[in-house]
Amino acid sequence: MSEAGTSPHVVLGVGGGIAAYKVAQLLRLLTESGHQVQVVPTRAALQFVGEPTWAALSGRPVHTDVWQDAHEVPHVRLGREADLVVVAPATADLLARAAHGLADDLLTNTLLTARCPVLMAPAMHTEMWEHPATQANVATLRARGVVVLDPASGRLTGADTGPGRLPEPEDIYAASRALLEQDAPDEAAAGDLAGRTVLVTAGGTREPLDPVRFLGNRSSGKQGYAIAAVAASRGAQVVLVTTSSLPDPDGVQVLRVETAEQMRQVVLDRAPAADVVVMAAAVADFRPADVADHKIKKTDDDTPPPIVLVRNPDILAEVAGHRARPGQVVVGFAAETGDSTSAVLDYARAKLARKGCDLLVVNEVGVDKTFGADHNTVVVLDRDGGEHPIARGTKADVAQGVWNMVLSRLAPRAG
Ligand code: C5P
């Protein structure tokens, strides 16, 4: 582990896949932002990109096997010194060897000795990714705390397309930073939102039917609270507009509302002062047309009263459509279901365009996507067509990833 205040040590394990050439770009991003990177390519990786490239870009000799400099016991030293191990591309073979604890080369030895966070960015053909053996290995690694990114979808090595592409180097870099910041939140992450004002909504709205009943939804508000808490911890001035009764996050101004119309009023009132608006609330699309002023009674003939609904205003579309402040970044949330990940992302992309926001955080609900109470798996879509998976993690981890994306779209502060 590196001392507090020194540049983080990253072991970059490169697997034997054609996507190794993209990892040269990841290496550049890491070294140019001050990380000390030790590249550990597998034998197969060197078939794709040679040792001189890794040595020149990292500025240090490359370690390739356990017998080189054996007096330094490199397989133990590298793992112990690392603040983060990143494996990219993580081939099906490497995932299998890591999941089974094999130690048949320097990289797998390093994975066994490392006690720091480990990030794996898979790349392989769709059939190999979807094979139950690979999926079981990924599940084993994730259960052990390894962050395994979902591969991106798109053109593969040949003419074929599908899930299996290496996530973009910028996205692997962002996930690496999030893991390093998670370990040293006060050093790296704190302060990068200082001077920014952000407005966050959270929870599900409650639309009254009468003085005692309402139409609501199951949103807990936890993800929105994590978004607000992380923004405050990174130095932002945060206003949280919420329907939830979760405890107030530290350093956040909390404004409580119930209905979509109340949320709209507060959001429109506060948006002009905000550099960023994040709409994480589950806003009811409809509300009862009339609210009875007395509790609705059962009738003698037991006929249930009809409930007539009217549309609620779309707050996100309104905020995004009338930017009250130049350069304001507007972020929406969407929980989508679909037959496949690509269908989910197609619906979500259409939603992003319809709402006019800059970023849409998509919860994928569907095949092979499970939700735990405190964990989340999201993909962030941007208005320029970019697709950024955020490593599966707690809602706070996801919030860190969302703020990293927002930061990349915020204009630099003057001065
Ligand atoms: O259309 P859908 O409800 O899936 O959109 C979700 C996104 O839009 C969320 O960011 C939510 O906060 C926002 N929304 C809104 N006003 C509505 C409905 C949704 O701001 N009436």
Side-chain angles (χ1 to χ4, degrees):
M1 293 268 162
S2 48
E3 304 275 309
T6 62
S7 39
H9 289 232
V10 178
V11 169
L12 178 58
V14 186
I18 192 145
Y21 79 91
K22 288 191 185 172
V23 175
Q25 171 63 8
L26 171 64
L27 174 55
R28 266 208 114 98
L29 291 169
L30 286 165
T31 52
E32 283 174 4
S33 50
H35 302 78
Q36 298 186 45
V37 187
Q38 176 61 58
V39 184
V40 182
T42 63
R43 237 171 239 299
L46 296 175
Q47 298 286 332
F48 294 94
V49 178
E51 201 169 322
T53 303
W54 302 119
L57 289 177
S58 65
R60 59 177 66 208
V62 165
H63 286 281
T64 49
D65 70 57
V66 277
W67 309 116
Q68 186 185 352
D69 300 324
H71 62 287
E72 288 184 9
V73 203
H75 69 285
V76 178
R77 184 177 56 79
L78 290 178
R80 283 203 186 134
E81 284 178 3
D83 296 301
L84 174 70
V85 179
V86 181
V87 180
T91 58
D93 177 66
L94 247 179
L95 289 169
R97 287 191 289 139
H100 292 275
L102 298 191
D104 52 357
D105 64 7
L106 183 58
L107 179 53
T108 46
N109 272 280
T110 303
L111 286 169
L112 285 181
T113 51
R115 292 294 174 269
C116 58
V118 175
L119 172 69
M120 295 192 146
M124 64 198 73
H125 279 278
T126 305
E127 293 82 350
M128 296 173 86
W129 171 251
E130 289 177 347
H131 194 284
T134 305
Q135 287 301 308
N137 291 330
V138 169
T140 301
L141 290 165
R142 284 180 175 162
R144 268 184 218 144
V146 174
V147 176
V148 183
L149 297 179
D150 282 329
S153 271
R155 179 87 192 264
L156 301 173
T157 314
D160 45 346
T161 58
R165 260 169 81 95
L166 185 74
E168 290 306 313
E170 290 75 13
D171 295 328
I172 306 173
Y173 173 76
S176 306
R177 286 299 313 152
L179 282 175
L180 285 165
E181 283 161 15
Q182 199 177 300
D183 259 23
D186 296 338
E187 270 178 45
D192 56 5
L193 288 169
R196 311 285 192 180
T197 300
V198 310
L199 179 62
V200 181
T201 67
T205 61
R206 294 173 162 202
E207 309 297 334
L209 271 165
D210 68 19
V212 294
R213 303 183 179 97
F214 60 83
L215 299 180
N217 61 65
R218 293 183 192 280
S219 170
S220 67
K222 281 186 184 171
Q223 184 63 74
Y225 273 61
I227 294 274
V230 166
S233 76
R234 289 170 72 158
Q237 260 199 297
V238 187
V239 179
L240 174 64
V241 185
T242 179
T243 64
S244 166
S245 48
L246 289 169
D248 293 359
D250 282 347
V252 169
Q253 185 187 2
V254 177
L255 303 174
R256 292 210 151 71
V257 295
E258 281 234 335
T259 66
E261 189 47 49
Q262 290 167 355
M263 184 172 277
R264 174 175 173 272
Q265 288 302 332
V266 179
V267 167
L268 294 185
D269 184 41
R270 295 300 187 115
D275 298 298
V276 186
V277 180
V278 183
M279 288 287 308
V283 183
D285 289 321
F286 304 99
R287 66 174 184 275
D290 297 303
V291 183
D293 47 10
H294 297 100
K295 185 179 169 194
I296 300 168
K297 303 270 187 308
K298 288 186 273 289
T299 53
D300 290 342
D301 64 358
D302 261 357
T303 315
I307 298 176
V308 179
L309 301 175
V310 292
R311 275 304 295 254
N312 265 333
D314 190 317
I315 309 168
L316 175 60
E318 202 169 339
V319 170
H322 304 94
R323 306 284 171 126
R325 198 181 168 90
Q328 188 178 59
V329 176
V330 179
V331 185
F333 269 68
E336 299 289 353
T337 55
D339 310 331
S340 65
T341 302
S342 60
V344 164
L345 293 179
D346 287 346
Y347 296 140
R349 192 155 288 296
K351 178 167 296 183
L352 182 144
R354 203 166 57 242
K355 305 258 185 184
C357 50
D358 301 292
L359 297 172
L360 190 71
V361 183
V362 186
N363 279 311
E364 292 182 75
V365 187
V367 193
D368 290 340
K369 303 282 171 191
T370 48
F371 288 99
D374 295 314
H375 284 72
N376 211 352
T377 305
V378 306
V379 175
V380 180
L381 301 183
D382 69 43
R383 66 182 307 158
D384 306 314
E387 200 174 294
H388 313 273
I390 292 189
R392 182 172 192 278
T394 62
K395 289 184 173 175
D397 298 335
V398 167
Q400 294 283 10
V402 170
W403 284 114
N404 290 342
M405 290 291 143
V406 170
L407 263 177
S408 70
R409 299 192 75 87
L410 270 173
R413 273 164 292 185

